[in-house]
Amino acid sequence: MAEEQQKIAILSVFDKTGLLDLAKGLIKHNVRLLASGGTARMIRESNFPVEDVSAITKAPEMLGGRVKTLHPAVHGGILARNLESDEKDLAEQGISKVDYVVCNLYPFRDTVAKIGVTIEEAVEEIDIGGVTLLRAAAKNHARVTTLSSPNQYHDFLKELEQGDISEKTRKLYALEAFEQTADYDDAISRFFRAKYAGDGLQHLSLRYGANPHQKPAAAFMRNGHLPFKVLCGAPGYINLLDVLNSWPLVKELSRALEYPAAASFKHVSPAGAAIGVPLTEIERKVYMVDDIEGLENSPLAQAYARARGADRMSSFGDVIALSHKVDLPTAKIISREVSDGIVAPGYSPEALEILRKKKGGKYLVLQMDPDYEPPSEETRQVYGVSLLQQRNDAQISPSDTFATIISPKENSKLPGTAVRDLTVATIALKYTQSNSVCYALNGQVIGLGAGQQSRIHCTRLAGDKADNWWMRFHERAINLKWKKGVKRPEKSNAIDLLCSGSVPKSGVEREDFEKNFEEVPSVFTEEEREAWLSKLSEVAVSSDAFFPFIDNVFRTARSGAKYIAAPTGSQNDQAVFSTAEKLGITFVEQHIRLFHH
């Protein structure tokens, strides 16, 4: 019987924590140690038997230590399988199999984190041989055990005491090695991306993250270029969150309904979204665009007027998304509103000139590649944990999504305006922080409740906003007598107080309200509010998940709901359906849950 070949371990570590204990344990089990550079020196100085890697490569370390383990005698021994053909190759070359690879890498991430580190210094910390050792050993984990961290040594030695390393352990160690080399490569590419591609094409440094103390911050693509160009200003982290949620909303909305679309975004949810349905004369006044020249010839401008007009208070300081090339009337509307930035597929020269003057030349103007399609999978990191999911690429189709009418049964088809408004509401929800409920009318969002833990609170919030929106069409709100010099934000705030029934009764707050007017308007009585709100009708309501209780239906009815679209699946479905029918509301099953976080 042939004598069993002595097992071999190759050791090459930067972090030498626990190295001597590991060496002692391996020697105890008659493992031959081969090591490189400082690893060999430390083991030898502790009087443990160890050989330099050159004992099998027959070649010295060279190039100042850059080449130590890159040799067929090393990698042939690691990558060899238990195959007759591999055994034959090893015998012809005089190479022995390697059973254990112990390696950790130069501290590239720590080096580049130092202030003022040069490219030359960073380059010297890029581990070549170590990464190759880990990858080779991890690839051949069916036979080879890969140790990539000192944290593994204790359990490894404990298992070795019991005989040999199990297949399960080798698999887990191989995974850790692959994770480590992937993270290492990511750190390297991130450093050089910032150095060599920091022109905004692939990597874009941001001022800070969600808050000023969160530095550094960046936007980047691992493959290819960023899908947008910065034409003016400097984007922030939250700006880009808004941009990358609002752009797909308007792109999808425009594609679904074949109209130009617009969205007004704040804190990663739409304050308003709309398509370019022509504005009536009254709507132009309510949305403060009745003086915009050329408005009637620009569906895009009318779409943004609707999106901004849905909830002017929430839209203050918005990020704007527009599905089509920005024209002059649209730019004129934006020029006088308080806004942080805009994203669109293009800009006319006249429109771009206007926008570049906004905020003293610091207004954010992004041009989006309209043909860009994101990968099918998306990842994010929360508290150091990486999460992966398939991107929500569900399509909201006017012809298919709202085809199943649950009640009343005799309704076989929805009016075209209802389908349009349900489409607007549902696509808006797809890009709104959950829980969320949306009310829509006339091709636009009129009330949206986002990010509430309870669905009824979403429904109430959205309904209150819809009520507020409708109160702005009351003759008293339209014909307010403003003092000269009152600015648009102050007008919006005063209108909101009046229409929401929140006008202060007395004191400094009341004085602050009254100072805006030549003629102070009388507040709406409860009877006046009820009388006017009773005229709101044909409203379409969509929910990103099922309505669990009938209180949601009652609340939508108070704000003119005529149509509801929502997923089903609640134990209380039948009660919800029958309540809707009693209230004269058509309930449509929307088959796709649309949670968004």
Side-chain angles (χ1 to χ4, degrees):
M1 185 175 179
E3 184 180 344
E4 185 178 348
Q5 183 178 357
Q6 182 183 20
K7 292 191 173 182
I8 295 175
I10 290 182
L11 302 92
S12 179
V13 296
F14 179 87
D15 181 355
K16 296 176 177 58
T17 304
L19 175 63
L20 297 180
D21 288 336
L22 178 65
K24 181 179 179 181
L26 288 167
I27 292 166
K28 178 182 176 182
H29 289 85
N30 193 33
V31 176
R32 179 187 180 191
L33 304 189
L34 300 171
S36 66
T39 305
R41 185 165 52 252
M42 183 176 181
I43 295 173
R44 187 173 291 117
E45 288 173 354
S46 298
N47 296 317
F48 291 124
V50 63
E51 301 170 69
D52 291 326
V53 172
S54 59
I56 61 171
T57 64
K58 310 302 180 187
E61 294 183 11
M62 59 186 295
L63 305 181
R66 281 191 168 196
V67 178
K68 302 173 186 175
T69 59
L70 297 171
H71 195 279
V74 172
H75 291 285
I78 294 172
L79 289 165
R81 297 156 293 183
N82 292 324
L83 299 177
E84 186 176 341
S85 58
D86 285 8
E87 300 280 3
K88 182 174 180 291
D89 287 343
L90 293 182
E92 289 177 352
Q93 299 299 323
I95 296 173
S96 299
K97 286 181 180 177
V98 174
D99 303 275
Y100 309 105
V101 170
V102 183
C103 181
N104 56 63
L105 308 174
Y106 297 164
F108 182 85
R109 197 182 293 273
D110 292 342
T111 297
V112 298
K114 297 175 184 175
I115 296 174
V117 65
T118 65
I119 290 176
E120 290 74 19
E121 289 170 332
V123 163
E124 291 306 315
E125 295 302 321
I126 298 175
D127 202 317
I128 304 299
V131 171
T132 309
L133 285 173
L134 288 177
R135 283 220 173 97
K139 175 176 179 175
N140 203 26
H141 64 268
R143 186 183 64 78
V144 179
T145 301
T146 317
L147 295 174
S148 58
S149 168
N151 295 331
Q152 299 166 331
Y153 298 169
H154 176 270
D155 290 345
F156 165 78
L157 290 173
K158 187 175 180 181
E159 191 166 340
L160 198 60
E161 284 285 345
Q162 298 169 0
D164 205 350
I165 306 305
S166 69
E167 180 184 11
K168 179 180 179 181
T169 298
R170 291 197 307 275
K171 287 178 177 178
L172 291 175
Y173 286 167
L175 171 61
E176 289 187 50
F178 285 133
E179 295 280 14
Q180 188 175 129
T181 58
D183 182 66
Y184 197 75
D185 287 341
D186 180 66
I188 294 170
S189 62
R190 185 181 301 178
F191 175 79
F192 285 101
R193 190 185 301 117
K195 294 293 184 181
Y196 296 158
D199 52 6
L201 291 178
Q202 189 177 351
H203 179 280
L204 183 64
S205 295
L206 307 178
R207 299 190 303 276
Y208 48 78
N211 298 288
H213 65 276
Q214 292 176 263
K215 299 176 182 179
F220 62 87
M221 299 285 283
R222 283 191 170 86
N223 296 298
H225 292 165
L226 291 165
F228 57 81
K229 296 178 182 178
V230 180
L231 303 184
C232 186
Y237 183 88
I238 294 177
N239 290 152
L240 290 184
L241 288 177
D242 284 338
V243 163
L244 298 174
N245 276 277
S246 60
W247 165 254
L249 190 164
V250 298
K251 181 179 180 180
E252 184 172 347
L253 191 54
S254 179
R255 183 188 297 158
L257 294 173
E258 298 181 345
Y259 273 86
S264 170
F265 250 66
K266 282 287 294 294
H267 291 288
V268 206
S269 283
I275 57 172
V277 174
L279 294 165
T280 66
E281 193 172 324
I282 293 176
E283 285 174 328
R284 293 182 189 186
K285 289 183 179 180
V286 171
Y287 299 152
M288 301 183 182
V289 293
D290 52 316
D291 60 337
I292 296 294
E293 187 178 350
L295 179 68
E296 64 280 1
N297 298 318
S298 173
L300 187 67
Q302 295 182 78
Y304 180 62
R306 288 187 179 281
R308 178 84 185 200
D311 182 358
R312 289 187 59 81
M313 297 295 289
S314 296
S315 286
F316 184 87
D318 64 351
V319 164
I320 300 162
L322 299 168
S323 65
H324 286 58
K325 184 176 182 179
V326 181
D327 55 20
L328 189 56
T330 309
K332 285 181 177 178
I333 297 174
I334 296 168
S335 70
R336 60 192 194 182
E337 300 289 9
V338 177
S339 172
D340 279 356
I342 181 173
V343 58
Y347 302 83
S348 73
E350 302 86 355
L352 187 58
E353 183 180 0
I354 288 175
L355 296 173
R356 276 181 163 157
K357 293 177 181 177
K358 194 170 172 63
K359 295 180 72 171
K362 295 181 180 180
Y363 186 64
L364 177 62
V365 181
L366 300 183
Q367 183 172 349
M368 178 62 75
D369 176 2
D371 297 322
Y372 170 71
E373 290 293 338
S376 59
E377 289 184 346
E378 57 188 12
T379 60
R380 66 188 296 186
Q381 212 178 62
V382 180
Y383 204 59
V385 177
S386 294
L387 304 176
L388 179 146
Q389 68 173 354
Q390 178 177 316
R391 184 172 55 86
N392 185 359
D393 56 3
Q395 295 297 306
I396 308 303
S397 165
S399 58
D400 299 329
T401 306
F402 312 106
T404 307
I405 298 176
I406 292 178
S407 66
K409 295 293 186 183
E410 59 269 21
N411 279 18
S412 60
K413 189 176 181 181
L414 295 175
T417 53
V419 172
R420 175 198 66 193
D421 294 342
L422 286 173
T423 302
V424 170
T426 306
I427 290 177
L429 291 177
K430 185 179 173 184
Y431 300 95
T432 300
Q433 300 301 297
S434 298
N435 288 320
S436 56
V437 173
C438 185
Y439 295 51
L441 185 66
N442 299 338
Q444 70 171 85
V445 169
I446 63 170
L448 196 151
Q452 303 301 303
Q453 291 80 3
S454 168
R455 188 154 303 278
I456 184 58
H457 290 153
C458 294
T459 307
R460 290 172 185 166
L461 177 59
D464 290 348
K465 289 186 175 185
D467 292 348
N468 195 343
W469 170 84
W470 180 238
M471 289 301 300
R472 284 158 51 201
F473 286 81
H474 192 285
E475 184 180 10
R476 190 180 308 166
I478 293 174
N479 296 318
L480 293 169
K481 307 298 182 184
W482 302 101
K483 279 187 179 177
K484 188 175 181 181
V486 176
K487 296 181 179 179
R488 294 169 73 83
E490 282 74 24
K491 289 181 180 180
S492 296
N493 186 52
I495 292 171
D496 185 73
L497 290 172
L498 178 66
C499 292
S500 64
S502 303
V503 174
K505 293 183 178 179
S506 60
V508 176
E509 276 191 275
R510 179 67 181 229
E511 292 173 7
D512 188 71
F513 171 77
E514 292 182 351
K515 72 180 183 181
N516 296 294
F517 304 100
E518 289 290 348
E519 297 178 17
V520 178
S522 58
V523 298
F524 290 108
T525 66
E526 194 61 37
E527 292 74 21
E528 287 175 325
R529 286 183 61 82
E530 288 184 8
W532 184 251
L533 290 175
S534 68
K535 298 178 181 180
L536 178 59
S537 63
E538 304 301 315
V539 174
V541 177
S542 189
S543 174
D544 67 355
F546 59 67
F547 280 147
F549 300 106
I550 61 175
D551 52 0
N552 291 278
V553 183
F554 285 134
R555 180 61 191 87
T556 65
R558 281 167 39 199
S559 294
K562 183 71 174 178
Y563 310 95
I564 291 176
T568 59
S570 168
Q571 293 181 346
N572 215 26
D573 272 352
Q574 290 305 318
V576 169
F577 302 156
S578 61
T579 300
E581 188 165 357
K582 289 175 184 176
L583 294 171
I585 298 173
T586 299
F587 196 102
V588 182
E589 183 177 14
Q590 199 279 93
H591 298 275
I592 309 167
R593 196 182 77 173
L594 293 171
F595 281 173
H596 181 68
H597 292 281

